[in-house]
């Protein structure tokens, strides 16, 4: 784990003006324009990123295509790709302190969580796909004797990766690592408010021996660079994590351009269901509080709808309130704090808008609901709980992506299932019960990409992550994600 001393040194590091990373080097944006990078820790600018545009995306895609055609990565032996990616993972681990602090200055995630979830998790993901490269086989089809049917697995070509700001390294690695392992070349569009760690990641990939052009990073505004990537005629696929509205746009861009395939990991309104026979109510309350409030609720799988069975409602709410009050909100670079800053002043305003509407609609505020630590100049929000939430309220239907929990009661298992599934989303969920049969029935009944039982979150790289319904389609993580970046080609050979 990183030490407070190391953090204090790194928090003062000069970052300066960052360029784009194209063809293995840092270059200026074509327009020469830049965007300031403001830290949510204190509201002050501490760096700038290049404000890329469609011409820069085109440069990056051309570089990626040239590298792909050249074949020094796409047609390299699996052993070579494995060696380079393994070295890449080692370098990410070696620079974990630097990457973690850089990322926290950019997006405000508490360092204890960011350190594990960002560089360490990204390194683990890169290593996982490095190790998988030489274990993916083609197939021989069961044909008649006079023919040979072969099924080859080939890289797609140029893959565009578009990432949100909550965990840019972790989520970026979930896409970049399998895409590279499969032999593709990649153009990354980082989130405008948290680009720095991904730029550094690309430099480390280059240092590890990734050939020029195989991994490019173009910073800039989503509506400009993201759109240009989505519309580019020479991009074969887009792997996206972010909001529903932008996901819809990417499908349109694909339809309007070259029908590139699009993988969407979108938002959620995940139900966390506590049955009266939960094995340990206190533990369930602590994990549930963490499951919505860590990283200020800016977690796609956050358990933002809590459903509690009436028989234990009062007891559970007491435990939940206590667990919530124990969470220390403050400077995300102080290891003593449990919850850091909201990623931007705009996001904080948006969260407070949800609080105001929930109050207007008749939900009861149990705790929180306000800004905190305004004297710092940063963006901090108190963990917020509303009860008496009903299905028709905005808080039950829309994703806040902030530290705001809506609580409902239920009586029966059928009612819990109905409430859990009354949403357009289907990303994550959890069930707390000591009854194995209830647990298994709920796993089958809940429409979501993952159902946690007697825990919340915490899945590792071995299991897929992704949603159903309007939470998107396509999966990150596990060997299933590797298949997304491979195309099948059949050979039919007369013997
Ligand atoms: P966002 O959709 O606003 O932005 C995501 C990315 O898309 C950013 O890089 C942004 O610059 C880019 N973008 C913006 N406009 C674009 C356009 N017109 N064309 C192409 N790209 C564009 O999302 P956000 O605010 O960064 O992240 C929060 C959202 O991400 C939440 O909805 C959250 O649930 C979701 N999320 C989902 C997962 C998951 O795995 N399912 C994980 C994390 C976050």
């Amino acid at each position: 784990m990183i030490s407070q001393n190391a953090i204090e040194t790194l928090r003062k590091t000069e970052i300066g003006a960052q360029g784009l990373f194209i063809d293995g080097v840092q270059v200026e944006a074509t327009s020469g324009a830049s965007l300031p990078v403001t830290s949510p820790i204190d509201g002050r600018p501490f760096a700038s990123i290049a404000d890329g545009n469609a011409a820069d995306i085109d440069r990056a895609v051309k570089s990626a295509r040239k590298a792909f055609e050249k074949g020094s990565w796409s047609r390299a032996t699996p052993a070579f790709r494995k060696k380079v990616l393994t070295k890449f993972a080692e370098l990410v681990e070696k620079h974990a302190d630097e990457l973690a602090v850089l990322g926290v200055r950019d997006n405000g995630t508490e360092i204890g969580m960011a350190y594990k979830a960002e560089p360490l998790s990204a390194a683990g993901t890169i290593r996982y796909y490095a190790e998988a490269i030489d274990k993916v086989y083609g197939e021989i089809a069961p044909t008649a004797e006079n023919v040979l049917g072969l099924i080859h697995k080939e890289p797609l070509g140029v893959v565009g990766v578009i990432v949100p700001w909550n965990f840019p390294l972790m989520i970026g690695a979930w896409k970049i690592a399998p895409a590279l392992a499969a032999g593709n070349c990649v153009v990354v569009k980082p989130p405008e408010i948290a680009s720095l760690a991904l730029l550094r990641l690309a430099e480390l990939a280059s240092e590890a021996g990734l050939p020029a052009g195989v991994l490019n990073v173009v910073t800039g505004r989503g509506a400009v660079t993201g759109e240009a990537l989505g519309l580019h005629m020479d991009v074969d696929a887009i792997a996206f994590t972010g909001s529903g509205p932008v996901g819809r746009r990417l499908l349109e861009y694909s339809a309007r351009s070259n029908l590139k395939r699009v993988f969407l990991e979108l938002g959620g309104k995940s139900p966390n269901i506590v049955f009266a026979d939960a094995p340990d109510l206190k533990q369930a309350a602590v994990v549930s509080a963490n499951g919505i409030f860590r990283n200020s609720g800016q977690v796609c799988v956050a358990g933002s709808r809590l459903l509690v069975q009436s028989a234990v409602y009062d007891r559970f709410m007491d435990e939940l309130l206590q667990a919530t009050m124990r969470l220390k909100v403050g400077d995300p670079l102080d290891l003593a704090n449990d919850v850091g800053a909201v990623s931007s002043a705009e996001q904080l305003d948006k969260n407070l808008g949800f609080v105001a509407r929930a109050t207007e609609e008749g939900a009861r505020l149990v705790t929180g609901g306000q800004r905190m630590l305004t004297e710092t100049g940063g963006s901090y929000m108190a963990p917020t709980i509303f009860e008496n939430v009903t299905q028709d309220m905005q808080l039950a239907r829309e994703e806040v992506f902030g530290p705001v929990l809506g609580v409902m009661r239920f009586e029966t298992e059928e009612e819990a299932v109905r409430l859990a599934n009354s949403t357009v989303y289907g990303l994550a969920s959890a069930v707390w019960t000591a009854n194995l049969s209830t647990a298994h029935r709920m796993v089958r009944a809940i429409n979501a990409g993952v159902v946690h039982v007697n825990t919340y979150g915490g899945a590792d790289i071995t299991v897929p992550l992704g949603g159903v319904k309007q939470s998107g389609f396509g999966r990150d993580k596990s060997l299933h994600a590797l298949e997304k970046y491979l195309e099948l080609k059949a050979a039919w050979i007369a013997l």
Side-chain angles (χ1 to χ4, degrees):
M1 186 58 183
I2 191 167
S3 71
Q4 194 63 50
N5 274 347
I7 294 171
E8 294 312 324
T9 309
L10 286 164
R11 97 151 76 212
K12 295 183 205 109
T13 312
E14 284 291 322
I15 307 298
Q18 300 294 304
L20 311 170
F21 194 83
I22 298 179
D23 219 26
V25 285
Q26 277 231 14
V27 293
E28 270 204 15
T30 311
S31 68
S34 62
L35 298 168
V37 179
T38 304
S39 178
I41 299 177
D42 55 13
R44 296 209 188 100
F46 69 101
S48 68
I49 52 167
D51 187 12
N53 61 21
D56 296 311
I57 287 289
D58 192 48
R59 276 156 84 193
V61 173
K62 285 201 168 101
S63 160
R65 178 60 63 190
K66 196 174 87 203
F68 186 78
E69 300 292 338
K70 195 170 155 202
S72 53
W73 183 254
S74 53
R75 292 196 299 277
T77 61
F80 175 74
R81 293 207 298 267
K82 180 174 177 168
K83 192 168 146 218
V84 172
L85 290 184
T86 304
K87 174 87 177 137
F88 181 20
E90 282 164 12
L91 285 176
V92 173
E93 255 160 13
K94 188 171 151 204
H95 292 267
D97 286 11
E98 175 203 341
L99 286 163
V101 174
L102 187 62
V104 171
R105 290 172 78 186
D106 224 358
N107 75 354
T109 304
E110 53 277 7
I111 186 76
M113 177 182 240
Y115 187 72
K116 288 191 212 129
E118 286 280 272
L120 293 195
S121 151
T125 298
I126 296 165
R127 184 170 286 116
Y128 177 86
Y129 289 107
E131 286 167 357
I133 294 173
D134 53 5
K135 294 165 192 74
V136 177
Y137 289 74
E139 294 162 26
I140 299 175
T143 55
E145 284 221 345
N146 59 345
V147 286
L148 177 61
L150 299 179
I151 302 167
H152 289 267
K153 292 187 177 178
E154 299 184 339
L156 307 177
V158 176
V159 174
V161 168
I162 305 182
V163 186
W165 41 258
N166 56 341
F167 294 105
L169 277 188
M170 175 176 79
I171 295 171
W174 287 346
K175 300 169 193 312
I176 296 166
L180 290 179
N184 297 283
C185 294
V186 174
V187 177
V188 181
K189 206 308 270 172
E192 46 269 62
I193 63 166
S195 297
L196 300 175
L198 280 166
L199 283 166
R200 187 72 185 108
L201 189 81
E203 285 176 352
L204 295 175
S206 185
E207 197 181 321
L210 201 71
V214 175
L215 177 61
N216 307 275
V217 179
V218 180
T219 55
R221 285 159 294 152
V224 178
T225 45
E227 179 176 288
L229 194 58
L231 283 171
H232 203 288
M233 293 299 288
D234 206 23
V235 170
D236 298 290
I238 294 274
F240 173 77
T241 294
S243 62
V246 176
R248 282 170 199 270
R249 286 215 181 99
L250 288 165
L251 291 173
E252 278 175 39
Y253 299 155
S254 168
R256 278 163 50 199
S257 56
N258 62 342
L259 296 177
K260 58 180 69 64
R261 61 194 70 188
V262 176
F263 309 115
L264 300 178
E265 302 289 345
L266 308 175
K269 193 77 214 178
S270 301
N272 179 21
I273 306 165
V274 181
F275 282 95
D277 67 350
D280 180 344
L281 274 191
K282 188 177 174 129
Q283 160 78 356
V286 170
V287 176
S288 298
N290 285 333
I292 174 65
F293 297 130
R294 295 299 303 276
N295 199 17
S296 298
Q298 302 164 137
V299 179
C300 56
V301 295
S304 54
R305 284 190 299 146
L306 176 65
L307 314 183
V308 187
Q309 198 159 27
S310 281
V312 289
Y313 186 87
D314 292 339
R315 258 175 65 212
F316 186 80
M317 288 302 284
D318 274 355
E319 295 287 358
L320 181 73
L321 188 58
Q322 284 180 44
T324 304
M325 303 307 273
R326 279 196 299 271
L327 293 173
K328 261 184 87 186
V329 181
D331 177 2
L333 285 174
D334 183 340
L335 280 166
N337 289 329
D338 304 300
V339 178
V342 173
S343 63
S344 67
E346 293 72 32
Q347 183 66 34
L348 177 52
D349 287 342
K350 199 176 142 224
N351 296 347
L352 294 172
F354 273 92
V355 169
R357 174 92 177 263
T359 311
E360 272 163 39
E361 291 185 339
R364 192 184 88 79
L365 184 64
V366 178
T367 184
Q370 79 280 16
R371 285 173 203 276
M372 288 175 74
L373 306 167
T374 45
E375 68 285 2
T376 61
S379 314
Y380 298 88
M381 181 168 171
T384 300
I385 302 176
F386 278 99
E387 62 177 357
N388 299 347
V389 172
T390 53
Q391 201 47 50
D392 52 329
M393 292 180 187
Q394 183 197 39
L395 192 56
R397 289 180 286 107
E398 294 180 26
E399 183 186 43
V400 181
F401 217 57
V404 185
L405 176 66
V407 189
M408 303 181 192
R409 295 173 187 258
F410 70 90
E411 304 291 336
T412 63
E413 187 178 316
E414 294 68 39
E415 190 185 0
V417 170
R418 185 174 50 72
L419 287 171
N421 289 339
S422 297
T423 168
V424 297
Y425 293 112
L427 190 54
S429 59
V431 179
W432 298 83
T433 176
N435 185 320
L436 203 58
S437 304
T438 310
H440 281 291
R441 277 197 305 272
M442 293 301 282
V443 168
R444 288 189 180 164
I446 295 177
N447 296 327
V450 57
V451 184
H452 299 100
V453 178
N454 295 332
T455 185
Y456 202 98
D460 68 14
I461 187 69
T462 59
V463 291
L465 174 84
V468 298
K469 303 202 281 185
Q470 291 181 33
S471 290
F473 46 81
R475 294 290 182 266
D476 280 331
K477 299 168 53 193
S478 81
L479 292 180
H480 296 284
L482 191 57
E483 298 288 338
K484 283 190 331 198
Y485 302 101
L486 289 163
E487 181 61 284
L488 299 180
K489 181 191 275 175
W492 188 256
I493 303 166
L495 298 177

